[in-house]
Amino acid sequence: MAERYVQGVSTRKVCDSLVKRLGPEVSLSSTQVSRAAERLDAGLAAWRERPLDETPYLFLDARYERVREAGRLVDCAVWVAVGISPDGKRRVLGVSVALSEAEVHWRAFFDSLIRRGLRGVKLIVSDDHAGLEAARRATLPSVPWQRCPFHLQQNAQAYVTRLDQHKPVALRLRAIFNAPDKAEAERLLRQALDAWKTEAPKLAQWAEENLPEGFAVFDLPHSQRTRLRTTNGLERINREIKRRTRVASIFPNIASCLRLVSALLAECDEEWMTGKVYLNLKD
């Protein structure tokens, strides 16, 4: 029952399926299925608290799930940390569910990773989440931060008021982030700013302040940049989480949300651990 629930089958469908297999004399309720799933909690808690090790690259992302809390529906932040180990394999390092993305929650998440042994981080890759920057500076102040260029390109479109400028702006941004080195990226950015100061002054101001946050990856070997410059790998995980949590629609509490997401991520971590090398760190 617990396994089928984790696979994204609703409690009602789990009941119906088991009744069909075992016969109509078997009586099951959604509550019984939920209680069976709760038996996963001890193992999942141990997985979330397992010791960590050296992790050169750290990816962070957050998404939201609808949860019933104190008699009302709220959007809870689900934080996921993924790392690349020295052998080049991806690992799910941690997951947490909280009521907001405030600095205090991000800091607690960072602190938990460090307490469990996270060390040797050379680069943090994420979007510009609320509270993350202050928490990152407080816990890992010397580690460079790479802001995801994919999200930067999405954010930039909010400052483009003319429809006919959306594509040219997107092409300029793509050229900047695909530059062969930081010097060329900075040259292309200056060129873009000169054009945007007349065509789109708000975009120019935003770009000057924000786009350089996506340049940290240029300090890494060229062969590693493609997989280290964005959080696209985490986005794929989030899509899979969404596919399975869509069945629940609304979680009855934070614990049930954490249970399902943890089970999915533990499954993903096991696949990565036994799978192919994701990034060659020897080049």
Side-chain angles (χ1 to χ4, degrees):
M1 285 191 288
E3 178 64 23
R4 298 208 65 192
Y5 173 75
V6 168
Q7 288 175 352
V9 181
S10 68
T11 54
R12 181 183 59 79
K13 288 183 177 180
V14 172
C15 292
D16 293 344
S17 175
L18 288 174
V19 168
K20 288 179 181 178
R21 286 187 179 188
L22 303 177
E25 65 276 5
V26 175
S27 177
L28 288 172
S29 68
S30 296
T31 301
Q32 288 174 303
V33 175
S34 296
R35 286 176 180 169
E38 287 175 8
R39 295 185 180 182
L40 298 170
D41 286 351
L44 293 173
W47 175 78
R48 288 194 300 270
E49 288 297 317
R50 73 195 189 280
L52 300 179
D53 207 330
E54 183 179 354
T55 305
Y57 302 115
L58 176 64
F59 298 80
L60 298 162
D61 200 10
R63 64 187 309 276
Y64 286 86
E65 294 290 348
R66 297 286 280 170
V67 175
R68 205 175 294 279
E69 177 69 18
R72 61 192 180 93
L73 291 180
V74 296
D75 289 322
C76 275
V78 178
W79 300 324
V80 178
V82 166
I84 298 181
S85 59
D87 62 1
K89 290 190 175 183
R90 286 183 294 176
R91 298 297 307 273
V92 177
L93 304 179
V95 57
S96 180
V97 179
L99 293 176
S100 76
E101 283 194 70
E103 178 192 345
V104 63
H105 297 304
W106 272 113
R107 186 162 180 172
F109 190 46
F110 275 111
D111 285 340
S112 70
L113 296 175
I114 294 170
R115 171 179 53 78
R116 289 165 51 208
L118 178 71
R119 63 182 186 275
V121 181
K122 298 178 181 178
L123 183 72
I124 296 172
V125 186
S126 75
D127 191 17
D128 187 28
H129 294 288
L132 185 148
E133 182 175 1
R136 176 180 57 81
R137 291 180 183 278
T139 54
L140 295 168
S142 62
V143 179
W145 175 49
Q146 166 70 14
R147 185 170 172 182
C148 177
F150 176 76
H151 287 98
L152 277 169
Q153 292 178 68
Q154 289 185 319
N155 299 150
Q157 296 302 323
Y159 298 89
V160 183
T161 55
R162 289 170 45 191
L163 290 177
D164 64 331
Q165 285 299 309
H166 279 259
K167 187 173 181 179
V169 167
L171 290 174
R172 274 188 181 273
L173 290 171
R174 199 171 303 144
I176 291 170
F177 291 120
N178 287 336
D181 52 49
K182 184 181 288 186
E184 178 63 7
E186 291 172 341
R187 186 190 72 81
L188 292 173
L189 175 57
R190 289 193 300 270
Q191 190 179 78
L193 293 176
D194 289 341
W196 292 339
K197 283 175 182 177
T198 302
E199 301 171 0
K202 289 184 179 180
L203 173 63
Q205 181 181 353
W206 176 87
E208 188 171 15
E209 295 173 358
N210 291 271
L211 292 192
E213 293 177 343
F215 290 176
V217 75
F218 286 115
D219 294 329
L220 300 175
H222 191 276
S223 61
Q224 299 178 8
R225 292 178 192 169
T226 300
R227 289 193 163 175
L228 293 176
R229 66 179 182 175
T230 72
T231 59
N232 286 352
L234 263 173
E235 292 295 328
R236 284 191 286 272
I237 292 178
N238 280 335
R239 284 196 295 271
E240 178 62 15
I241 291 174
K242 182 178 180 180
R243 184 182 72 82
R244 300 204 197 179
T245 60
R246 188 186 295 120
V247 176
S249 181
I250 298 173
F251 289 94
N253 49 54
I254 289 177
S256 63
C257 179
L258 180 60
R259 179 185 307 124
L260 180 55
V261 174
S262 296
L264 298 176
L265 292 174
E267 182 183 275
C268 178
D269 182 60
E270 184 176 355
E271 290 177 2
W272 285 348
M273 186 170 53
T274 58
K276 296 179 180 179
V277 170
Y278 179 73
L279 182 67
N280 185 357
L281 299 181
K282 297 179 181 179
D283 292 346

